[in-house]
Amino acid sequence: MPTEAVPPATPISPSPPSQTSSQPPRRWRQLALLGGLLSVDNGEASVLSVLFPALRAALGLPMAALGGLIAAGKLVAVVAGPAWVAVARRWPRKQVLAVCCGFWGVWTAAAGLAQNFTQLLILTTVAAAGAAGGGPLTSAMLSDLFDDRARGRAAGLLYGLAGLGVGVAGPLLGLLSDVRDGWRYGFFASGAVQVLFGVLVLLFLHDPGVGATDGRRADKPPPTRAQLGALLRNRTLLLICAQRLTTGQFILFGFGVTFLVQVRGFSNAAASVVTLPVMLCYLGGTVFAGVVADRVHRRAPRTGRIAMMQTALIVYGLLSYVASQVAWEPLWAYVVLFGVLGAVQGSNPAINRPIIASVTLPELRGAAFALMLSVEAAGWALTSLLVGYLGDAYGLQTAFLWLTVVLILANGALVTLLYRPYARDSAALQAQMHHRTATHETDHQ
């Protein structure tokens, strides 16, 4: 149910009240810095996904080991993400971001020293615990930098830049597969870049403040117990969490290179080449989807974003069948197919981040994003484990069939349940923000 119930017929305007809202200065520059920070975040996951075939040969690991490594990192994120959000309520968000997404990179570098699977599992899991804070904190800060009319474009650019960084790093990391113990150098380099971005955040990032674009800025107002309880009863948020729990879109990023090596017979270095076009297309998809989502939202504020999300999921499910179940001889065919999949997947953050922001109070958005990303991490962990074990037992192609094609098409059908709750919850939030703004202006007269 919405935080404060209003009649379902309450009209939805494309944006919250703007009479007293202001646009933070240099907001696009701040966004670019946040995008760069996210691009180096989860450095240990990038090394694992690109260099696992080489790492697997060096340490003698089974296919299920990759699923276990990814799952452990995502499971720790279920707890670590909300924990970092709680820390950011006591200390400046800028400093918390610098630590969890930047200086925490020393653990990524330390993973390069692992001598066996147990050590690698522990070190990469600790590294992932820090990266878990990046998603909810940057998403909340994005909502404070941009109002509802521009959040789609902003989210698209933010996650597009993050994807671009990962895409550029992929082929470079792939070159290390031909170097003795090259996977170790991959961890060292990724950790060093993370620390560098931690320094850049401390020097140049400006936090606009909670609620800066919602008509009333608040300096981290403490949420009440009633507000937190209402957040957990918000049907839109809960349905988004259910949708993120059961999506299999992350499999491409985690197992795509390994699929091309093991199932299609390409070398590790050659297969890693697909990461750059995938991420370039992801960048294009996020930016394009952000622009389109904002326009669609203005024309159909009650249904536009939900319809875009559902369409993207169905298209992704159909394309993933063509990419994973049909054998293509040349590598360029997979470059094209995986690139198109990356573009379609790139639409997700440009749609679901604005959806969450439009149904939650400014002071609760960090908690809402932490909840969504924690559930998403749990789903990622579960599907990663299943892909690993199904891959060992029946082959990666069969695992991809059930956990990308079938699961994602079912996920698209689940989104149908979002239409009515989203219309009601977004209207309720706008009514509450109008009331807050009016009350605030009256108190200062």
Side-chain angles (χ1 to χ4, degrees):
M1 296 296 292
T3 304
E4 290 186 8
V6 297
T10 301
I12 301 176
S13 59
S15 61
S18 57
Q19 289 84 350
T20 60
S21 63
S22 61
Q23 302 300 336
R26 301 184 299 276
R27 54 181 183 156
W28 292 103
R29 189 180 306 174
Q30 303 300 316
L31 186 74
L33 181 56
L34 290 174
L37 182 67
L38 284 182
S39 73
V40 300
D41 198 16
N42 260 335
E44 88 294 339
S46 297
V47 177
L48 287 174
S49 62
V50 173
L51 290 175
F52 181 75
L55 191 155
R56 179 186 184 189
L59 298 183
L61 303 178
M63 174 59 63
L66 177 57
L69 289 167
I70 295 176
K74 297 306 173 184
L75 286 175
V76 75
V78 173
V79 177
W84 285 115
V85 171
V87 171
R89 301 201 66 83
R90 295 180 175 272
W91 283 275
R93 288 189 294 188
K94 169 176 156 177
Q95 295 179 12
V96 176
L97 272 173
V99 171
C100 68
C101 296
F103 304 134
W104 205 268
V106 296
W107 291 103
T108 300
L113 302 175
Q115 300 300 312
N116 52 54
F117 176 74
T118 301
Q119 293 178 7
L120 184 66
L121 177 65
I122 293 173
L123 291 170
T124 56
T125 302
V126 173
L137 291 178
T138 55
S139 294
M141 195 173 292
L142 178 144
S143 300
D144 297 324
L145 285 168
F146 298 88
D147 60 24
D148 193 49
R149 294 168 296 181
R151 281 177 189 146
R153 285 173 291 161
L157 182 59
L158 174 68
Y159 287 91
L161 289 173
L164 177 62
V166 175
V168 171
L172 297 177
L173 289 171
L175 295 175
L176 295 174
S177 64
D178 294 328
V179 178
R180 179 182 174 84
D181 288 332
W183 61 274
R184 297 186 186 275
Y185 300 124
F187 281 118
F188 297 154
S190 295
V193 174
Q194 284 179 260
V195 173
L196 172 62
F197 264 87
V199 175
L200 293 177
V201 166
L202 284 181
L203 293 177
F204 301 111
L205 183 64
H206 171 71
D207 188 343
V210 176
T213 58
D214 287 281
R216 177 173 177 265
R217 175 171 171 165
D219 187 15
K220 298 180 185 176
T224 65
R225 184 174 300 178
Q227 287 176 328
L228 291 174
L231 182 69
L232 296 177
R233 295 191 300 273
N234 186 298
R235 290 185 61 191
T236 299
L237 177 60
L238 293 179
L239 284 169
I240 287 286
C241 287
Q243 185 265 326
R244 301 313 292 166
L245 178 67
T246 57
T247 185
Q249 289 179 300
F250 309 114
I251 294 174
L252 174 64
F253 289 126
F255 291 84
V257 172
T258 302
F259 173 84
L260 293 178
V261 173
Q262 179 173 309
V263 180
R264 300 305 182 213
F266 297 103
S267 69
N268 195 168
S272 65
V273 171
V274 303
T275 59
L276 179 56
V278 166
M279 290 306 175
L280 286 175
C281 291
Y282 183 92
L283 167 61
T286 52
V287 174
F288 177 76
V291 173
V292 174
D294 283 342
R295 292 181 179 179
V296 170
H297 176 61
R298 286 194 291 270
R299 293 187 177 185
R302 298 178 70 90
T303 60
R305 285 171 173 162
I306 308 302
M308 277 195 65
M309 176 189 293
Q310 188 169 43
T311 301
L313 286 167
I314 293 173
V315 170
Y316 190 97
L318 297 175
L319 286 175
S320 63
Y321 178 87
V322 178
S324 65
Q325 304 305 306
V326 179
W328 303 90
E329 292 296 332
L331 180 62
W332 64 262
Y334 290 101
V335 171
V336 173
L337 288 169
F338 280 30
V340 175
L341 284 169
V344 177
Q345 184 172 353
S347 65
N348 282 325
I351 301 172
N352 61 30
R353 267 59 170 184
I355 287 175
I356 295 297
S358 66
V359 297
T360 53
L361 293 168
E363 62 268 28
L364 295 176
R365 285 174 187 153
F369 285 122
L371 175 62
M372 182 194 76
L373 293 174
S374 293
V375 173
E376 180 180 282
W380 195 334
L382 178 60
T383 54
S384 296
L385 284 173
L386 290 174
V387 169
Y389 285 110
L390 288 176
D392 276 337
Y394 304 103
L396 273 181
Q397 184 165 324
T398 300
F400 271 48
L401 173 62
W402 289 101
L403 296 175
T404 56
V405 181
V406 176
L407 182 61
I408 290 175
L409 290 175
N411 192 266
L414 175 66
V415 173
T416 304
L417 301 177
L418 264 170
Y419 285 98
R420 293 184 65 183
Y422 173 70
R424 184 180 180 89
D425 291 345
S426 56
L429 178 71
Q430 288 183 31
Q432 188 167 359
M433 294 308 298
H434 276 290
H435 176 72
R436 279 191 176 189
T437 301
T439 303
H440 182 69
E441 291 176 348
T442 301
D443 291 342
H444 285 77
Q445 288 179 352

